[in-house]
Amino acid sequence: MTITKSIAKVRSIIKKQKLKNKIIGFVPTMGALHQGHLSLIKKARKDAGFLVVSIFVNPLQFGPKEDYRIYPRNFKKDRALLEKERVDLIFYPYPKNMYTAGFSTYVEETSLSKSLCGKSRPGHFRGVATVVTKLFNIVQPDIAYFGRKDYQQAQVIKRLTQDLNIPAQIRILPIIRQKSGLALSSRNAYLSQKEEKKALVLYQSLRLARNLVKQGQRKPHFIKTKIAKLINSRKNLKIDYIELVDPKTLKPVKKIDKKTLLALAIFVGKIRLIDNTII
Ligand code: PAF
């Protein structure tokens, strides 16, 4: 396994692998790897002849009051996990090399990125789209893998690869959950035991919505109100958003009469967590 911080070295390694006709698989991450990441990496390992994982906590996708400085970082542990998964190359760049002095070019998706998390985290998807485009230009993957937990992110990335003619296939893989139902996320590392229990309300909300729809409920407002009641009945939880949207456009639906995405974001104490399901 090669580990490098150098963009030039990644380029030269990839060039050689492409000459050997190897399929380049790519899993971009911000590190603090968990089973969710590993599910992407295991799938990529099966598909790809050469597997690249990037670890880069991207400052551009964090707002000024967000957790960039304290975002969990544990390179030693991540490296050991990636070694075990037989990853070929870890790209682990410095922020100053990704964003050199005078950096002033951004990639912005202007529709899908505006609802849901885009509303409460202005600039977040511009940061994601910019770094993913840069990473794709550096790694030149044939296939790139993303998790469905970040549903909106995955849709924005699919859109941008299509719009900007980036020749990478985007594969989106299922959410991995703890037995309790809590979706795996690097931010779960911030939660105390008590908060982790409180965070189960996310999964409970998804189940509540599913049951209501199964019982014939079709009104988004009714379902959102029920979920809000459930969340507001518990201490230390704050709703950021609860939305029922079209899974393709991410625009709110008026009636649940076809596949609908339920997406929610809540604060458990100070920690913002998201989850979603298709109903
Ligand atoms: O999902 C993430 O970990 C990040 O948003 C990504 C895609 C690696 C871009 O920084």
Side-chain angles (χ1 to χ4, degrees):
M1 184 172 74
T2 308
I3 300 171
T4 184
K5 288 185 170 292
S6 156
I7 294 172
K9 191 157 177 201
V10 174
R11 282 193 195 287
S12 100
I13 292 173
I14 295 293
K15 198 170 169 188
K16 282 185 198 136
Q17 296 302 323
K18 292 232 172 199
L19 283 173
K20 291 189 210 162
N21 278 330
K22 291 271 177 80
I23 291 181
I24 311 294
F26 180 39
V27 182
T29 81
M30 299 208 297
L33 302 178
H34 51 64
Q35 288 301 324
H37 296 110
L38 294 185
S39 74
L40 307 181
I41 289 162
K42 282 182 203 294
K43 176 72 175 92
R45 183 64 286 175
K46 280 192 190 144
D47 297 343
F50 192 81
L51 175 55
V52 185
V53 173
S54 62
I55 297 180
F56 180 59
V57 184
N58 172 34
L60 222 58
Q61 68 188 74
F62 290 80
K65 288 187 184 148
E66 292 182 353
D67 52 347
Y68 174 67
R69 276 176 192 287
I70 57 158
Y71 193 84
R73 292 163 172 88
N74 194 340
F75 184 71
K76 260 194 182 168
K77 190 170 160 223
D78 290 347
R79 183 178 58 193
L81 287 170
L82 296 178
E83 185 112 56
K84 215 167 143 219
E85 298 301 331
R86 295 173 296 112
V87 167
D88 296 302
L89 172 63
I90 302 180
F91 177 44
Y92 180 44
Y94 288 119
K96 66 172 196 275
N97 292 345
M98 287 294 276
Y99 302 113
T100 48
F103 183 90
S104 58
T105 306
Y106 298 87
V107 177
E108 187 168 11
E109 192 286 331
T110 57
S111 173
L112 299 167
S113 65
K114 298 301 167 193
S115 58
L116 308 175
C117 292
K119 262 192 192 159
S120 35
R121 302 184 70 190
H124 169 68
F125 287 115
R126 185 170 90 142
V128 171
T130 303
V131 81
V132 169
T133 305
K134 284 171 69 67
L135 290 167
F136 281 180
N137 282 334
I138 296 165
V139 175
Q140 296 180 39
D142 296 295
I143 318 175
Y145 300 80
F146 296 87
R148 187 165 293 149
K149 188 183 72 71
D150 296 300
Y151 186 98
Q152 187 176 17
Q153 166 174 283
Q155 297 309 309
V156 169
I157 290 167
K158 254 180 143 177
R159 186 77 247 167
L160 87 83
T161 50
Q162 201 177 321
D163 290 352
L164 301 182
N165 305 94
I166 296 174
Q169 273 181 46
I170 305 299
R171 301 237 165 113
I172 303 171
L173 301 187
I175 298 177
I176 305 294
R177 298 183 181 279
Q178 290 182 4
K179 267 197 186 142
S180 63
L182 182 66
L184 296 191
S185 158
S186 302
R187 288 194 167 94
N188 292 352
Y190 298 138
L191 299 170
S192 66
Q193 263 187 354
K194 223 176 167 185
E195 287 172 329
E196 198 173 310
K197 273 198 184 146
K198 286 194 168 286
L200 296 184
V201 79
L202 282 162
Y203 189 58
Q204 289 159 1
S205 302
L206 303 184
R207 286 200 4 207
L208 172 63
R210 276 184 176 287
N211 286 336
L212 288 168
V213 172
K214 249 191 206 161
Q215 287 158 22
Q217 184 52 248
R218 295 290 178 264
K219 290 189 188 128
H221 180 70
F222 184 92
I223 295 174
K224 281 162 53 172
T225 308
K226 282 276 184 199
I227 295 176
K229 259 192 181 164
L230 172 74
I231 297 172
N232 290 331
S233 70
R234 315 251 173 104
K235 270 191 194 154
N236 250 338
L237 300 176
K238 200 177 114 218
I239 298 167
D240 181 359
Y241 65 76
I242 305 166
E243 292 292 351
L244 284 147
V245 298
D246 180 298
K248 288 208 176 105
T249 62
L250 305 186
K251 298 248 159 50
V253 293
K254 292 203 168 78
K255 195 175 172 203
I256 303 172
D257 52 4
K258 53 181 183 322
K259 274 191 182 173
T260 301
L261 176 79
L262 167 63
L264 52 152
I266 65 166
F267 287 90
V268 179
K270 286 191 177 133
I271 318 302
R272 186 176 177 279
L273 299 174
I274 56 173
D275 206 339
N276 70 78
T277 191
I278 301 270
I279 338 190

